[in-house]
Amino acid sequence: MHPGSTSGGHSGHQRLRFYIVMITLVVGGVLFLLLLNNNNPNGFSLTSAIVGETNLSKVSTDDAVSESAGTTQQKINKVFSEEVTKNGKEVPMLLTFDQIPSVKKDTKVEEIELYFDDLTTTINVNDDKLELNNMKEVKLTLKDFSGSIAFSEEGMGLKGTANRIEVNDVAFSSEKTLSINLNNLHYRKFDLRGITLKEIDFPSGSGALTVSDKLTYTLEDETVRIYSFRGRFSASKEGNVTAATTLEGTMQGIGISGQELGINVW
């Protein structure tokens, strides 16, 4: 007999039994979890619990990043606005955009050209109603306007005075300034030359921005805020479908924010 050989065989049988017991326990545990899942109306499972926890962590992280980004952008905009006011530097710019902003300001405009075929809106000049009968389209021109101007994609409003008023190139004569008042006029297009606006907020849209002939940026589904604009502001629309805006002049700053971008330039 060989005692060493008998001891080695006995040890091998013990290891084999140990592995069999462990495998049996693992398989039994899995079967137990599956049975528990079938009997539980809430559908508990280890896999779904892990995935659920992972998704919850992702949502919480995304919300935190979004909130943090929004807070940071607000701080940047605040600091930017203060720096623009303090710095006072004007930068040449050109903006083309597919949205018309809503503006309501007291300002001065060197020249206003307003094109429309809406003959139902009342226009008063020196408290007299402007008669626009038998006209298919009207071109209203104001020189050296001063007063309140309000416009959006929906219409145009003016209340103030002008040194000269023309209707289809026919001028009103007066030794003094002429007053004009119109509200919610449905226009086709307008051109404001030499206008000064402290702040302009554009809704989300697309277009192109050129700053100082050094930066050209394509805007895609982004909001735009212009600070201290001075220059030419033109807008047109075709019914309620297509709108186009062009700003050409100088500004003291601009804020851009979209789904993936938030920048300020000054």
Side-chain angles (χ1 to χ4, degrees):
M1 292 183 65
H2 300 281
S5 175
T6 302
S7 176
H10 181 70
S11 176
H13 286 300
Q14 286 182 336
R15 285 197 295 269
L16 179 60
R17 284 197 299 270
F18 174 76
Y19 293 145
I20 292 173
V21 171
M22 291 301 298
I23 292 172
T24 302
L25 289 175
V26 171
V27 172
V30 171
L31 291 175
F32 174 75
L33 287 175
L34 292 175
L35 179 63
L36 182 62
N37 182 56
N38 290 333
N39 293 331
N40 188 351
N42 294 327
F44 167 81
S45 72
L46 183 61
T47 303
S48 64
I50 293 174
V51 173
E53 181 66 26
T54 302
N55 289 340
L56 180 61
S57 299
K58 183 179 185 301
V59 170
S60 300
T61 302
D62 289 346
D63 289 344
V65 170
S66 177
E67 183 177 355
S68 176
T71 304
T72 302
Q73 186 61 38
Q74 290 177 357
K75 291 180 179 178
I76 291 174
N77 287 339
K78 181 180 179 180
V79 173
F80 174 60
S81 180
E82 293 172 352
E83 288 296 321
V84 166
T85 303
K86 180 177 67 176
N87 200 11
K89 183 179 180 181
E90 293 186 343
V91 180
M93 57 84 67
L94 173 64
L95 173 69
T96 56
F97 210 59
D98 64 358
Q99 298 290 329
I100 299 175
S102 296
V103 173
K104 186 176 182 180
K105 301 289 183 182
D106 290 330
T107 186
K108 295 181 179 180
V109 187
E110 292 178 6
E111 183 173 272
I112 298 175
E113 287 185 356
L114 185 58
Y115 297 82
F116 60 94
D117 52 18
D118 173 17
L119 305 182
T120 61
T121 300
T122 299
I123 302 175
N124 291 321
V125 176
N126 282 352
D127 296 325
D128 293 325
K129 182 179 178 181
L130 183 62
E131 299 293 339
L132 300 173
N133 299 328
N134 301 321
M135 292 185 180
K136 293 182 178 181
E137 184 178 83
V138 178
K139 174 188 174 184
L140 178 64
T141 304
L142 309 177
K143 301 289 182 70
D144 297 320
F145 172 82
S146 178
S148 174
I149 183 169
F151 61 84
S152 65
E153 190 172 341
E154 300 300 323
M156 166 77 78
L158 296 170
K159 185 176 183 180
T161 61
N163 289 340
R164 183 182 177 90
I165 298 178
E166 298 177 2
V167 176
N168 289 355
D169 298 323
V170 176
F172 284 79
S173 60
S174 176
E175 296 180 356
K176 299 181 180 180
T177 58
L178 300 163
S179 65
I180 184 167
N181 189 357
L182 62 92
N183 185 41
N184 198 29
L185 176 70
H186 298 286
Y187 62 86
R188 287 197 311 105
K189 61 180 180 179
F190 64 79
D191 192 359
L192 312 175
R193 298 187 182 98
I195 187 172
T196 300
L197 294 171
K198 184 178 180 181
E199 197 171 281
I200 312 170
D201 286 314
F202 287 85
S204 180
S206 301
L209 169 69
T210 301
V211 180
S212 297
D213 294 327
K214 296 179 181 179
L215 168 67
T216 300
Y217 180 74
T218 300
L219 301 158
E220 296 181 356
D221 295 326
E222 292 164 314
T223 60
V224 179
R225 171 174 288 184
I226 305 291
Y227 296 88
S228 299
F229 171 79
R230 186 161 58 92
R232 184 174 182 176
F233 191 126
S234 304
S236 62
K237 62 178 183 176
E238 294 295 334
N240 294 321
V241 180
T242 305
T245 301
T246 300
L247 271 69
E248 184 175 8
T250 62
M251 64 178 179
Q252 292 185 4
I254 184 169
I256 302 173
S257 62
Q259 293 183 349
E260 299 180 357
L261 176 67
I263 65 172
N264 289 296
V265 180
W266 69 83

